[in-house]
C-alpha cells in the first residue's frame, strides 16, 4: 500500500476524551472514530488489525474442532422469553420493535438463538459432540461506556456454543475451549491467566475469565506468580484426548487465581508472600459451562442410546476481538506509539523514502516495495512529501514492526537502514542485503 493513496487520518494531539493509552493511541493512529457514546467506526488501519486477530481466533477455534456459522445481530424476543431471560437480562439489552409491533432485540449474546438452531436439526446423541461458533457484532447498553473499545456498547465477539450428551462430555468440551484460549492469546503475544469467575447473567456453576495483567485493567485480580512462566499448550495438542486436556486444565487451575468477585482472602494468604501477585487485569476471554439451563426450557433434546430424550449439556465461550486490539496496545507501547506483535501488525514492514522525488531514492524504494510485495509481505510505502521526522513518527505511531529507511546519504554508499520497532535497533546494510533479510512470508 502506498501511503499517498491510503486513508490514514492521524491526530498529532492527544484527544482530551481518551483516558487510557489504548484509546489515545487508537484515535491518534487513525484506527477508529467515535460515532456516539461507546460506538466506533473501524477505519482502514484498525480494521486490518482486527482482521488479523480474527484470523488467529478462527485458526485456533477450527483446530479445537469448533465449526463456524453466522447468526443475525437482531433477534426475536420470543426466543429469550422461552429461556426466561428476556425480562431478567436488564437495561443492557437494547429492546426494539419492528414495523409489525413485534418485540425484537439487538443481541448481547446468542445462547437462545444457537439453541434454536440446534433443536431444529440435531435429534440424536450420535450427532454429538457439536461446537458452533461465529464472529459477530454485539450490543450491550453499558451505563457508562469508557476507555474506547475496551468498554464499548457495540463490540465484536467470537462466541462459541458446545452441545454434549452429558456432563462428562460437556466438561471435555469446556477443556477444549480452555486449551484453545490459552493457545489463542499466546499467539497474540499475550500472557492470559485463567481465573475463577462469576457466571453473571449467562448462568451456570463453572466459569473462567482469561485475564491479562495491566495497570489499566477494570478490576483487581489475584494470582500465583508461577502462572507467568507457564508454557503454552503445543500446536500438536490432541484435542480428542480427555486425559491430555484435563492435565492441561489441572495445571492451569492448580494454583491460586481469581477475579475480585471470586477472591478468597484466606486461600490467597496461603500462597507464599513472594509468589503473590495482586494487580489490575483486563478480561480478554470468558468461558462458561451451564449444563441444561437453556436446553431444558427450550426443548433442545436428543435421543439417547436407549431412545429416551435427553436435554443436552451446553457451554458458551467468548473472546472479544475488538477488545483485544486495545489490550494488545495496553501491553505493547512506548512514548512513540504502538508496538504490535508481528502477527497482528497492520503492515509487516514500512519502506520510508526520505526524499520523495529524488531519482535515486525513488528507484530504490520502488525496487524494495515491489520485491516485498512479491514475497508476500504486507508492505506500506511512505511515498509522501512529509519531512523525514514526520515519516519516522508516523511509522512508530502505527507500530509497523520493521522499517527500511532509504535516504540519499546512505544510498550514496549503496546502503539503507533497517530499524526494528520493538527495541529500536538500527543497522546499515547494502540495498541487496536488505532484500535478503526478507526471505518470503508464509501464506
Amino acid at each position: 500500500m502506498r501511503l499517498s493513496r491510503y486513508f490514514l487520518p492521524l491526530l498529532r494531539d492527544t484527544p482530551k476524551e481518551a483516558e487510557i493509552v489504548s484509546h489515545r493511541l487508537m484515535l491518534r493512529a487513525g484506527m477508529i472514530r467515535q460515532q456516539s457514546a461507546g460506538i466506533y467506526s473501524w477505519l482502514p488501519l484498525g480494521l486490518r488489525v482486527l482482521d488479523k486477530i480474527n484470523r488467529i481466533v478462527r485458526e485456533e477455534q477450527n483446530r479445537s474442532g469448533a465449526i463456524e456459522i453466522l447468526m443475525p445481530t437482531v433477534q426475536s424476543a420470543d426466543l429469550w422469553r422461552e429461556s426466561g431471560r428476556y425480562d431478567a437480562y436488564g437495561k443492557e439489552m437494547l429492546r426494539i420493535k419492528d414495523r409489525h409491533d413485534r418485540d425484537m432485540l439487538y443481541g448481547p449474546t446468542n445462547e437462545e438463538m444457537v439453541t434454536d438452531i440446534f433443536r431444529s436439526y440435531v435429534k440424536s446423541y450420535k450427532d454429538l459432540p457439536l461446537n458452533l461458533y461465529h464472529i459477530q457484532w454485539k450490543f450491550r447498553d453499558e451505563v457508562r461506556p469508557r476507555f474506547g473499545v475496551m468498554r464499548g456498547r457495540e463490540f465484536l465477539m467470537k462466541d462459541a456454543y458446545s452441545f454434549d450428551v452429558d456432563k462428562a462430555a460437556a466438561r471435555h468440551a469446556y477443556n477444549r475451549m480452555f486449551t484453545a484460549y490459552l493457545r489463542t492469546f499466546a499467539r497474540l503475544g499475550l500472557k492470559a491467566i485463567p481465573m475463577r469467575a462469576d457466571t453473571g447473567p449467562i448462568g451456570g456453576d463453572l466459569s473462567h475469565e482469561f485475564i491479562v495483567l495491566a495497570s489499566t485493567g477494570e478490576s483487581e485480580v489475584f494470582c500465583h506468580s508461577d502462572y507467568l512462566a507457564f508454557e503454552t499448550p503445543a500446536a500438536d495438542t490432541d484435542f480428542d484426548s480427555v486425559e491430555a486436556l484435563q492435565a492441561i486444565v489441572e495445571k492451569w487451575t492448580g494454583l491460586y487465581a481469581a477475579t475480585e468477585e471470586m477472591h478468597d482472602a484466606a486461600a490467597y494468604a496461603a500462597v507464599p508472600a513472594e509468589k503473590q501477585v495482586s494487580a489490575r487485569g483486563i478480561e480478554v476471554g470468558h468461558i462458561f459451562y451451564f449444563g441444561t439451563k437453556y436446553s431444558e426450557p427450550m426443548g433442545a433434546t436428543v435421543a439417547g442410546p436407549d431412545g429416551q430424550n435427553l436435554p443436552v449439556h451446553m457451554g458458551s465461550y467468548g473472546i472479544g476481538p475488538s477488545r483485544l486490539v486495545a489490550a494488545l496496545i495496553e501491553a505493547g507501547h512506548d512514548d512513540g506509539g504502538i508496538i504490535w506483535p508481528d502477527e497482528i501488525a497492520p503492515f509487516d514492514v514500512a519502506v520510508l523514502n526520505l526524499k520523495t522525488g529524488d531519482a535515486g531514492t525513488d528507484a530504490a524504494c520502488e525496487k524494495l516495495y515491489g520485491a516485498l510485495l512479491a514475497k508476500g509481505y504486507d508492505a506500506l510505502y511512505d511515498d509522501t512529501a512529509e519531512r523525514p521526522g514526520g515519516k519516522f513518527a508516523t511509522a512508530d505511531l502505527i507500530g509497523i514492526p520493521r522499517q527500511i529507511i532509504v535516504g540519499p546519504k546512505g544510498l550514496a554508499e549503496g546502503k539503507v537502514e533497517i530499524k526494528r520497532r520493538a527495541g529500536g535497533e538500527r543497522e546499515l546494510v547494502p540495498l541487496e542485503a536488505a532484500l535478503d533479510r526478507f526471505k518470503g512470508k508464509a501464506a
Side-chain angles (χ1 to χ4, degrees):
M1 177 61 64
R2 296 175 186 272
L3 187 54
S4 62
R5 302 176 187 172
Y6 197 52
F7 182 57
L8 186 64
L10 301 179
L11 300 178
R12 294 303 178 189
D13 297 322
T14 299
K16 294 179 180 179
E17 71 271 21
E19 300 177 64
I20 62 173
V21 168
S22 58
H23 193 191
R24 291 196 294 269
L25 289 177
M26 290 182 77
L27 290 171
R28 286 193 55 215
M31 296 178 66
I32 56 172
R33 174 174 173 76
Q34 181 171 317
Q35 303 300 151
S36 60
I39 300 176
Y40 293 85
S41 289
W42 287 76
L43 306 181
L45 195 79
L47 185 58
R48 290 179 74 94
V49 174
L50 196 58
D51 285 345
K52 291 190 175 186
I53 290 174
N54 288 341
R55 175 180 58 80
I56 289 177
V57 169
R58 280 191 172 96
E59 288 173 0
E60 294 304 327
Q61 289 293 288
N62 296 343
R63 187 195 304 274
S64 75
I67 302 167
E68 187 171 11
I69 61 174
L70 183 61
M71 291 178 275
T73 56
V74 176
Q75 305 181 30
S76 168
D78 290 341
L79 288 174
W80 286 66
R81 290 191 175 107
E82 281 190 61
S83 72
R85 283 209 300 174
Y86 184 68
D87 294 320
Y89 199 87
K91 292 184 177 181
E92 288 75 24
M93 180 190 291
L94 181 62
R95 294 165 170 83
I96 54 180
K97 287 183 180 290
D98 67 10
R99 66 192 302 164
H100 300 291
D101 206 36
R102 291 177 294 221
D103 289 327
M104 310 291 284
L105 59 99
Y106 195 113
T109 184
N110 279 74
E111 281 81 7
E112 285 80 3
M113 182 168 284
V114 77
T115 302
D116 178 58
I117 292 171
F118 176 89
R119 71 184 178 183
S120 299
Y121 300 106
V122 182
K123 304 301 181 184
S124 171
Y125 77 99
K126 295 179 181 179
D127 296 321
L128 302 179
L130 181 64
N131 189 316
L132 301 174
Y133 81 94
H134 73 159
I135 299 177
Q136 178 63 284
W137 291 96
K138 302 283 191 290
F139 187 90
R140 295 177 188 168
D141 201 1
E142 296 279 355
V143 64
R144 190 187 173 199
R146 58 196 304 228
F147 300 155
V149 300
M150 185 75 79
R151 194 170 185 83
R153 292 194 295 165
E154 185 181 60
F155 55 94
L156 191 62
M157 176 68 71
K158 186 288 304 178
D159 38 326
Y161 304 90
S162 62
F163 301 86
D164 290 275
V165 71
D166 56 28
K167 186 173 183 178
R171 181 58 195 257
H172 181 55
Y174 187 92
N175 291 351
R176 281 173 181 261
M177 286 292 103
F178 188 104
T179 304
Y181 276 34
L182 291 174
R183 284 195 44 76
T184 299
F185 298 127
R187 285 189 60 189
L188 293 170
L190 296 171
K191 174 64 73 172
I193 302 170
M195 300 190 179
R196 291 189 304 113
D198 184 25
T199 59
I202 301 296
D205 58 5
L206 176 62
S207 176
H208 286 88
E209 287 182 12
F210 289 77
I211 300 291
V212 173
L213 303 184
S215 59
T216 51
E218 299 166 291
S219 61
E220 193 170 10
V221 297
F222 306 85
C223 68
H224 196 292
S225 64
D226 284 1
Y227 279 119
L228 300 173
F230 278 9
E231 292 188 7
T232 307
D236 61 356
T237 296
D238 183 358
F239 281 89
D240 291 326
S241 171
V242 173
E243 296 77 12
L245 295 194
Q246 184 61 33
I248 290 171
V249 172
E250 287 177 359
K251 174 184 176 181
W252 282 87
T253 57
L255 301 175
Y256 188 85
T259 60
E260 193 171 11
E261 296 83 3
M262 302 296 286
H263 181 49
D264 182 337
Y268 182 64
V271 176
E274 69 276 11
K275 296 287 188 178
Q276 292 179 355
V277 174
S278 172
R280 309 296 294 182
I282 300 172
E283 177 196 339
V284 291
H286 203 161
I287 62 177
F288 306 82
Y289 162 70
F290 40 71
T292 60
K293 173 181 171 66
Y294 300 93
S295 58
E296 282 192 336
M298 297 186 69
T301 62
V302 294
D306 59 0
Q308 182 180 0
N309 278 346
L310 304 170
V312 292
H313 286 247
M314 294 175 57
S316 67
Y317 316 91
I319 288 177
S322 54
R323 183 185 181 89
L324 273 170
V325 177
L328 284 160
I329 295 172
E330 293 294 332
H333 66 271
D334 60 16
D335 291 343
I338 303 167
I339 303 175
W340 295 114
D342 287 359
E343 276 203 270
I344 307 304
F347 295 95
D348 302 312
V349 56
V351 178
L352 308 186
N353 187 341
L354 300 190
K355 194 172 182 180
T356 301
D358 178 84
T361 58
D362 286 355
C365 287
E366 290 289 348
K367 180 177 181 178
L368 287 165
Y369 178 58
L372 289 166
L373 294 180
K375 291 181 177 184
Y377 290 94
D378 284 331
L380 180 68
Y381 174 23
D382 190 341
D383 59 343
T384 66
E386 178 73 63
R387 297 179 62 154
K391 296 189 176 192
F392 297 147
T394 295
D396 282 353
L397 173 62
I398 65 179
I400 301 178
R402 288 175 287 183
Q403 302 166 21
I404 303 177
I405 302 166
V406 183
K409 183 182 294 186
L411 210 55
E413 301 175 5
K415 294 183 177 181
V416 297
E417 188 174 39
I418 297 178
K419 176 187 172 183
R420 183 75 184 180
R421 175 67 181 92
E425 297 87 0
R426 296 170 178 262
E427 183 182 8
L428 274 174
V429 299
L431 178 61
E432 295 301 328
L435 285 174
D436 290 340
R437 298 292 178 89
F438 297 86
K439 299 295 185 183
K441 188 176 180 183

